[in-house]
Amino acid sequence: MPDRFWRLFEDSLGSGNVRTFRDALAQPAVVSIRRNPAKLPEDRFLSLFNASDGTDIVPWCHEGRYLNERPSFTLDPLLHCGAYYVQDSSSMFTGALFSLLLNQCKDQNGLRILDLCAAPGGKTTHLASILRSSGRPDTLLVSNEAVSSRVASLAENVARWGEPNVVVTNSDPSEFIKLKNFFDIILVDAPCSGEGMFRKDEDSVKEWSEEVVKACATRQKHILIDAWPALKSGGFIIYSTCTYNRNENDSILEWIAAQLGADIIKPDYVPMGVHVTRAGGCQFIPGNIRGEGQYVCMLRKKGGMNSDASAKVLHDKKADDTSCDYVVGDYKLIRKGDLLKAVPARMADEIATVEQNMRCVMSGIAVATVKGSDRIPEYDLAHCSPSMLNRDAFECVEVGNEEALRYLRRDTLSFPAKSKGYLLLTYKDVPLGFVKNLGPRANNLMPISRRIRMQ
């Protein structure tokens, strides 16, 4: 790495951390995953990944676990079921700060959250799980990715995770001016120079330069300026990067406070080994912690809490409701062309407002494709929250690893002993997907775009 990188690192974080980081670069990258508590109980999760005494727990995320080696995740059906997410342990700390902010909003109902730079979806799925476990599953969570080439992976990961309160959008941050004073908490995991990826990705080292750092800092300010009006007065912002230099971290934190008008919040909880910067951010440095590079900080927008959003909550009168017994609970079924989807009834109007103001990619849970009187179950329905899926509407068939992989490759399957019609396949009792059983063979309803090609 260029000498200028090391000088900038030392200037930002001190000579002691330079030595620690240099030593860590010679070690392999850490592998960690995060459990979906809605789909996989902790005891089963531990047994599946040979975890025993709890020493592998990510200290700042109870659902996070370190693995001793990196398995072939593509060939694990549980990953495709949304039972867990592969995520760097350091980035899981964002969830810990989000939980702290939720506690400060415990007396507020109908919260609205925005993950502004969300692809590929690690932080969005984490926030969604925290909202469920904290008793706020009906809180609106908008997951946005401005780069069109990245939004497909975001939508797929969100659909796998299966929480119905998430809306995925593909909008430039400047477009959120149309949702002025709409959000209570905004997470900005800003595009950065990627110094925290040096141990995982050699290409990120080759692409680094001081000019890239300066360009990223300028871009980060533009993103924050664009998003700022969408945050309510008194609302909270979490700002994070996967880099080390102060130009993109502490300097941005201080700039937000001084130029946009916010108070810096220093967290009550800081994990052992995490470096607290001069401005009050939390810097994760490999060698000091078991994970990669990450910077996270919190602020509160100045002014009293403003609960009145300028965006009109528009009633979606054009969409016709229709009946279907595939889901249970307080959900509104909405027909969009041939697609039938379900959204939480209490936030249906808010979701409609986001859809009408932003470039919406998906919202709620895709339930079925309507063909006459037939309801062809959508692949994403299998992955929705277990409390939402009506398993009694289908005959369930438990499959083993080989058959599950054949399903995921979209191979032909056969269930001659099972009844004809739609079957729900499960793997280790976690829903995997649907087939239409014809007797001698079954039509595989796995979407072509999501099939795996690895043998």
Side-chain angles (χ1 to χ4, degrees):
M1 285 181 283
D3 290 340
R4 181 55 189 155
F5 166 78
W6 292 113
R7 289 196 295 271
L8 186 57
F9 188 105
E10 181 174 357
D11 186 47
S12 301
L13 299 171
S15 58
N17 284 318
V18 169
R19 292 190 294 271
T20 299
F21 183 52
R22 279 186 181 273
D23 292 341
L25 285 175
Q27 304 301 317
V30 173
V31 181
S32 52
I33 58 177
R34 178 172 44 77
R35 173 177 68 98
N36 186 339
K39 296 186 179 182
L40 202 59
E42 185 176 14
D43 55 348
R44 289 188 57 220
F45 179 73
L46 296 177
S47 64
L48 289 169
F49 290 95
N50 300 318
S52 54
D53 59 3
T55 56
D56 62 334
I57 296 175
V58 175
W60 45 89
C61 178
H62 182 74
E63 286 74 33
R65 290 293 186 279
Y66 295 107
L67 303 183
N68 292 327
E69 57 185 10
R70 188 178 185 88
S72 177
F73 289 116
T74 302
L75 296 180
D76 184 4
L78 283 176
L79 176 72
H80 301 276
C81 294
Y84 67 90
Y85 191 96
V86 183
Q87 183 179 16
D88 174 56
S89 57
S90 297
S91 68
M92 296 180 195
F93 186 63
T94 302
L97 297 189
F98 180 68
S99 294
L100 292 176
L101 296 186
L102 281 185
N103 288 334
Q104 295 199 39
C105 301
K106 61 184 178 181
D107 296 328
Q108 293 175 244
N109 295 318
L111 292 179
R112 297 161 179 168
I113 316 297
L114 171 62
D115 185 356
L116 186 62
C117 311
K123 292 181 172 65
T124 289
T125 55
H126 197 181
L127 301 189
S129 286
I130 292 171
L131 289 171
R132 174 169 288 280
S133 62
S134 62
R136 291 178 176 267
D138 289 341
T139 295
L140 177 64
L141 174 57
V142 177
S143 179
N144 181 72
E145 175 54 50
V147 182
S148 297
S149 61
R150 303 185 66 197
V151 77
S153 63
L154 171 62
E156 181 176 335
N157 286 324
V158 168
R160 257 185 207 159
W161 207 247
E163 293 296 346
N165 59 318
V166 184
V167 178
V168 176
T169 57
N170 176 213
S171 298
D172 187 84
S174 61
E175 295 182 57
F176 281 91
I177 188 66
K178 292 181 283 188
L179 295 177
K180 190 175 181 181
N181 299 324
F182 194 78
F183 295 102
D184 300 277
I185 301 174
I186 296 180
L187 165 62
V188 181
D189 186 30
C192 66
S193 57
E195 297 165 351
M197 299 298 292
F198 281 178
R199 191 161 65 163
K200 281 187 173 182
D201 182 7
E202 292 183 5
D203 288 339
S204 63
V205 179
K206 300 173 186 176
E207 294 167 0
W208 187 92
S209 70
E210 196 168 3
E211 290 71 28
V212 168
V213 169
K214 292 176 181 177
C216 286
T218 299
R219 184 184 183 191
Q220 289 152 4
K221 289 179 180 179
H222 284 308
I223 290 172
L224 289 160
I225 289 170
D226 287 341
W228 201 249
L231 182 65
K232 295 177 182 178
S233 297
F236 299 96
I237 189 163
I238 302 175
Y239 174 80
S240 67
T241 68
C242 60
T243 201
Y244 305 108
N245 68 82
R246 67 179 182 184
N247 302 53
E248 301 177 71
N249 294 340
D250 265 10
S251 294
I252 298 294
L253 172 59
E254 293 168 335
W255 175 85
I256 295 171
Q259 300 300 318
L260 298 183
D263 296 315
I264 297 171
I265 303 173
K266 295 186 178 180
D268 297 331
Y269 163 67
V270 178
M272 183 178 298
V274 173
H275 177 80
V276 179
T277 64
R278 182 185 68 253
C282 295
Q283 180 71 65
F284 287 68
I285 305 170
N288 288 338
I289 50 89
R290 208 173 156 190
E292 303 308 309
Q294 186 82 16
Y295 175 90
V296 195
C297 63
M298 297 185 295
L299 306 98
R300 186 169 194 175
K301 189 174 183 179
K302 288 184 180 293
M305 178 60 75
N306 179 7
S307 60
D308 297 325
S310 62
K312 300 290 184 182
V313 177
L314 304 175
H315 294 272
D316 190 354
K317 296 179 180 180
K318 294 181 180 180
D320 296 324
D321 292 5
T322 187
S323 61
C324 182
D325 64 352
Y326 292 172
V327 297
V328 292
D330 189 18
Y331 296 97
K332 181 179 181 180
L333 296 172
I334 299 172
R335 176 88 173 265
K336 296 285 188 181
D338 292 334
L339 178 66
L340 187 65
K341 69 175 182 178
V343 300
R346 282 176 285 184
M347 65 175 67
D349 290 338
E350 292 175 282
I351 289 176
T353 298
V354 174
E355 290 178 330
Q356 292 160 8
N357 284 279
M358 299 291 112
R359 192 178 299 115
C360 184
V361 176
M362 62 168 281
S363 61
I365 301 294
V367 174
T369 297
V370 179
K371 284 195 175 181
S373 60
D374 195 12
R375 302 289 185 268
I376 305 171
E378 284 284 320
Y379 178 64
D380 292 344
L381 174 65
H383 303 141
C384 72
S385 176
S387 61
M388 179 182 182
L389 176 62
N390 182 14
R391 284 203 187 191
D392 292 337
F394 309 95
E395 182 177 358
C396 295
V397 180
E398 177 72 11
V399 297
N401 186 75
E402 182 178 345
E403 207 161 24
L405 290 175
R406 287 179 59 207
Y407 174 80
L408 292 168
R409 294 188 185 106
R410 214 170 183 272
D411 293 341
T412 301
L413 300 168
S414 178
F415 302 98
K418 301 299 180 181
S419 59
K420 293 183 179 181
Y422 298 115
L423 305 178
L424 172 61
L425 306 187
T426 61
Y427 176 76
K428 298 185 185 297
D429 200 38
V430 182
L432 176 67
F434 296 98
V435 297
K436 185 173 184 179
N437 191 29
L438 304 176
R441 66 179 179 84
N443 288 343
N444 191 329
L445 301 184
M446 172 83 185
I448 294 177
S449 62
R450 297 202 202 172
R451 72 188 189 279
I452 63 173
R453 295 174 173 82
M454 183 182 290
Q455 298 297 318

